[in-house]
Amino acid sequence: MAIPDDLVQDIFQPDGRIRLEVLTEPALDALRATLAQARETRWDSVRSPHVFMGLLAAPDEGVLNWVDRLGTDLTNILGQFQELFRQEGVDNVPALVLSREFLSDKAIRLLREAHQRATEYQRSRITPMDLLISLLTTQNSIVAECFERIGVTAAKLTELAVVAEHYARTT
């Protein structure tokens, strides 16, 4: 599915930095935690699993509800992903900022898909659940693949996320 140019331009400023006004405060908190997770796991760029770890490290009510519905422990799942994606033998991790130059192609696509999802739901700002659901439904999602290896399908993860999102909106 092609993303119109006007949506793409709304995600990044001309200098490549993410437009903060297209993010809710909880989504911005999660993206800041994403940067910390990339540094913690010794990467020099932000990958989609880092976005997932950022959502877990700075969870909003919807993410907490999703983890609860998944029947797992937030700290445990975050630790497992940190261990799985930690790079050994890297001494100096450069400073990372919320800018296109520090994001992998998949992370950029994820942000654009989350923005498109927010727009489809008549919202001008991306929520953590937009990020999570986009992360789970994107083609070739490494996060969804990790869950599928332990028997939880992307469809089930997404279903639980949509229910958690609805619950968070109604409470």
Side-chain angles (χ1 to χ4, degrees):
M1 144 173 52
I3 299 171
D5 287 341
D6 60 333
L7 286 181
V8 171
Q9 293 172 353
D10 283 344
I11 299 297
F12 297 102
Q13 297 176 18
D15 67 1
R17 289 187 183 260
I18 293 175
R19 292 186 184 276
L20 300 182
E21 67 271 13
V22 301
L23 300 165
T24 61
E25 266 315 302
L28 180 56
D29 291 343
L31 289 180
R32 287 179 177 140
T34 293
L35 293 174
Q37 292 303 311
R39 284 189 291 275
E40 170 72 24
T41 56
R42 316 296 286 159
W43 287 79
D44 61 359
S45 65
V46 172
R47 310 291 182 158
S48 58
H50 297 123
V51 176
F52 181 65
M53 289 183 260
L55 289 164
L56 296 176
D60 73 337
E61 183 180 345
V63 172
L64 289 172
N65 189 275
W66 176 75
V67 170
D68 187 52
R69 290 177 187 280
L70 194 55
T72 190
D73 177 71
L74 182 112
T75 305
N76 183 40
I77 195 167
L78 175 58
Q80 288 177 349
F81 268 82
Q82 287 171 329
E83 185 178 317
L84 186 61
F85 290 97
R86 183 175 325 278
Q87 293 196 107
E88 299 299 331
V90 178
D91 293 327
N92 296 324
V93 177
L96 298 171
V97 295
L98 290 175
S99 177
R100 189 172 34 229
E101 70 183 282
F102 294 104
L103 302 172
S104 71
D105 290 345
K106 279 190 175 184
I108 292 169
R109 188 169 43 251
L110 167 63
L111 289 172
R112 288 177 173 161
E113 288 173 3
H115 187 252
Q116 182 175 356
R117 183 179 190 278
T119 301
E120 288 170 0
Y121 283 88
Q122 276 84 54
R123 288 183 275 105
S124 61
R125 298 169 66 192
I126 299 168
T127 67
M129 293 308 288
D130 290 321
L131 291 167
L132 178 63
I133 292 168
S134 296
L135 183 66
L136 298 173
T137 59
T138 193
Q139 188 175 22
N140 299 321
S141 169
I142 192 155
V143 172
E145 182 182 316
C146 289
F147 278 98
E148 289 196 13
R149 289 181 187 168
I150 60 168
V152 183
T153 66
K156 183 64 175 177
L157 294 168
T158 304
E159 175 189 334
L160 294 174
V162 169
V163 170
E165 178 183 43
H166 178 73
Y167 175 81
R169 284 188 192 159
T170 60
T171 57

